[in-house]
């Protein structure tokens, strides 16, 4: 069976957790496409040229433990605006989306570019303040030296760059279901996402 769940939305809206839980629930493979851009951004921070970094990414790059910093996130968002970088990363993501057995991909352009034919498209959002608070708690609990204001500023800067760029900007696909998690617990958000996917799945006997 080929069945793709595309989950897009801004930073820290809850995409990552929702995607991992939806994938586990249905036994689908999961790809966090932000990691690909983060891995490219990390190599650029180390001095490499963006396009050659994207073209030579390997599984070890994605397994690096230092990809979740604010600095890498900003670098990722900068390299992600370069059309040749995106072009170098498209084929892998497209193959992953249509793999046998079902796939969940989360990112910014999954429902609009990588898999327009996805059976389910979710656009996960939350207010700026809620997203900044969540990201602040996540980073400070891991020992990062961050402030609420700094995190909010970083998120807004990244959202602006991601949604205003020419190449594959972050916008909800026309047929995406919006899921605003501002007032939802993670359990409730996951429950709603799972229900949306279940409704779109082929029914036995049909
Ligand atoms: O989702 P995450 O915050 O890890 O993504 C890091 C950056 O990678 C984003 O700010 C965005 O610029 C870029 N990205 C993208 N397209 C995707 C996934 C991530 O441009 N599908």
């Amino acid at each position: 069976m080929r069945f793709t769940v595309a989950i897009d939305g801004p930073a820290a809206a809850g995409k990552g957790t929702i995607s991992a839980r939806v994938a586990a629930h249905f036994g689908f493979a999961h790809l966090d496409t932000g990691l690909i851009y983060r891995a490219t951004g990390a190599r650029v921070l180390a001095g490499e040229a963006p396009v050659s970094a994207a073209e030579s990414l390997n599984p070890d790059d994605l397994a690096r433990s230092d990809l979740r910093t604010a600095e890498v996130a900003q670098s990722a968002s900068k390299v992600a605006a370069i059309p040749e970088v995106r072009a170098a990363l498209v084929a892998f993501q497209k193959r992953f989306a249509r793999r046998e057995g079902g796939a969940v991909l989360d990112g910014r352009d999954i429902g609009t570019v990588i898999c327009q034919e996805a059976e389910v498209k979710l656009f996960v959002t939350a207010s700026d303040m809620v997203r900044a608070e969540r990201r602040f708690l996540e980073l400070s609990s891991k020992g990062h030296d961050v402030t609420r204001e700094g995190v909010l500023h970083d998120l807004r800067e990244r959202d602006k760059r991601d949604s205003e760029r020419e190449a594959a900007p972050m916008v909800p696909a026309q047929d995406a279901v919006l899921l605003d998690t501002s007032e939802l617990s993670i359990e409730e958000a996951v429950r709603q996402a799972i229900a949306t996917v279940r409704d779109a799945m082929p029914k036995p006997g049909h």
Side-chain angles (χ1 to χ4, degrees), residues 8-12 15 32-38 67-68 72-81 86 93 106-110 114 135 155 158-159 161-162 165 167-168:
D8 291 304
K15 292 187 310 285
D32 168 1
T33 64
L35 267 190
I36 305 174
Y37 291 93
R38 284 174 184 259
L67 299 180
R68 293 279 166 212
V72 170
Q74 286 293 354
S75 178
S77 159
K78 287 178 192 157
V79 300
R86 305 198 72 84
Q93 296 176 77
D106 70 288
R108 302 291 185 290
D109 64 339
I110 309 304
I114 299 299
R135 186 51 54 90
L155 284 187
R158 206 142 62 88
D159 289 349
R161 196 186 294 115
D162 291 347
R165 69 186 177 213

Side-chain angles (χ1 to χ4, degrees), residues 18-184:
I18 292 171
S19 304
R21 296 271 302 268
V22 166
H25 183 90
F26 292 101
F28 295 166
H30 173 216
L31 179 65
D32 168 1
T33 64
L35 267 190
I36 305 174
Y37 291 93
R38 284 174 184 259
T40 307
R43 282 178 48 176
V44 170
L45 284 176
E48 236 177 293
V51 178
S52 73
E55 283 171 346
S56 60
L57 272 193
N58 61 58
D60 287 348
D61 289 311
L62 301 185
R64 287 171 60 154
S65 61
D66 60 348
L67 299 180
R68 293 279 166 212
T69 66
E71 193 192 11
V72 170
Q74 286 293 354
S75 178
S77 159
K78 287 178 192 157
V79 300
I82 304 171
E84 293 81 5
V85 166
R86 305 198 72 84
L89 303 173
V90 160
F92 170 72
Q93 296 176 77
K94 287 194 165 171
R95 271 200 310 278
F96 193 98
R98 293 322 258 172
R99 66 192 278 154
E100 195 52 46
V104 180
L105 288 85
D106 70 288
R108 302 291 185 290
D109 64 339
I110 309 304
T112 51
V113 174
I114 299 299
C115 194
Q116 289 184 6
E117 67 277 30
E119 281 74 12
V120 181
K121 298 181 187 178
L122 286 175
F123 195 84
V124 182
T125 59
S127 73
D128 291 8
M129 296 306 275
V130 166
R131 291 188 293 119
E133 182 66 16
R134 286 180 190 157
R135 186 51 54 90
F136 170 76
L137 293 174
E138 180 191 331
L139 290 173
S140 51
S141 75
K142 287 187 194 153
H144 292 271
D145 184 18
V146 286
T147 62
R148 287 188 163 75
E149 299 69 44
V151 171
L152 179 63
H153 178 269
D154 260 23
L155 284 187
R156 284 186 172 149
E157 199 181 358
R158 206 142 62 88
D159 289 349
K160 185 169 157 53
R161 196 186 294 115
D162 291 347
S163 53
E164 291 181 356
R165 69 186 177 213
E166 292 273 318
M170 171 179 69
V171 281
Q174 276 182 354
D175 49 350
V177 174
L178 294 185
L179 179 55
D180 184 335
T181 67
S182 305
E183 313 260 311
L184 301 181

